[in-house]
Amino acid sequence: MSVVIPAYRAAQSIPATLDSVLAQTFSDYEIIVVNDGSPDTVQLEKVLEPYRARIAYDRQENQGPAGARNTGIQVARGKYIAPLDCDDLWEPNHLAAQLAVLEGDPSIDM
């Protein structure tokens, strides 16, 4: 599973977002943060520093959230992609529940 997080003006919100991913009961995932030309890059990189061992980080010129997601998907190694906005939070069982649905019904293809 690859969690892809576009980051734009995210310095204040992304620590809580990352903490919600790191608190997942399902633990076989990678986290990809894509800095989408954010004007708060200096602050963003500072708040990401404690997470650097657990995340893949990429920077690009601003392409909007879809462009940043596509960049993350291109480098993702997981069987599934779990998109997450930089200011959203997940309950601890979110990924486990998603995976159960996907693997429980082979007719689901998204």
Side-chain angles (χ1 to χ4, degrees), residues 7 30 33 42 68 87 89:
E30 65 177 342
V33 175
V42 172
D87 60 353
L89 306 175

Side-chain angles (χ1 to χ4, degrees), residues 6-29:
Y8 186 84
R9 295 189 193 269
Q12 290 187 344
S13 60
I14 203 162
T17 299
L18 290 170
D19 289 343
S20 80
V21 176
L22 294 170
Q24 293 298 297
T25 57
F26 176 80
S27 61
D28 187 15
Y29 59 82

Side-chain angles (χ1 to χ4, degrees), residues 9-59:
R9 295 189 193 269
Q12 290 187 344
S13 60
I14 203 162
T17 299
L18 290 170
D19 289 343
S20 80
V21 176
L22 294 170
Q24 293 298 297
T25 57
F26 176 80
S27 61
D28 187 15
Y29 59 82
E30 65 177 342
I31 303 170
I32 302 165
V33 175
V34 179
N35 177 342
D36 189 36
S38 186
D40 68 349
T41 291
V42 172
Q43 298 91 339
L44 176 61
E45 290 179 349
K46 187 174 186 174
V47 300
L48 289 177
E49 192 58 38
Y51 300 94
R52 290 305 289 261
R54 288 290 320 228
I55 67 171
Y57 175 72
D58 198 3
R59 286 173 65 173

Side-chain angles (χ1 to χ4, degrees), residues 49-81:
E49 192 58 38
Y51 300 94
R52 290 305 289 261
R54 288 290 320 228
I55 67 171
Y57 175 72
D58 198 3
R59 286 173 65 173
Q60 67 182 26
E61 288 188 29
N62 184 269
Q63 297 178 26
R69 274 189 206 91
N70 287 338
T71 296
I73 290 168
Q74 288 174 356
V75 299
R77 297 173 296 163
K79 179 178 178 181
Y80 300 109
I81 303 297

Side-chain angles (χ1 to χ4, degrees), residues 90-108:
W90 281 343
E91 293 292 328
N93 65 343
H94 180 80
L95 288 178
Q98 275 192 330
L99 190 61
V101 169
L102 289 170
E103 300 211 334
D105 185 349
S107 69
I108 296 174

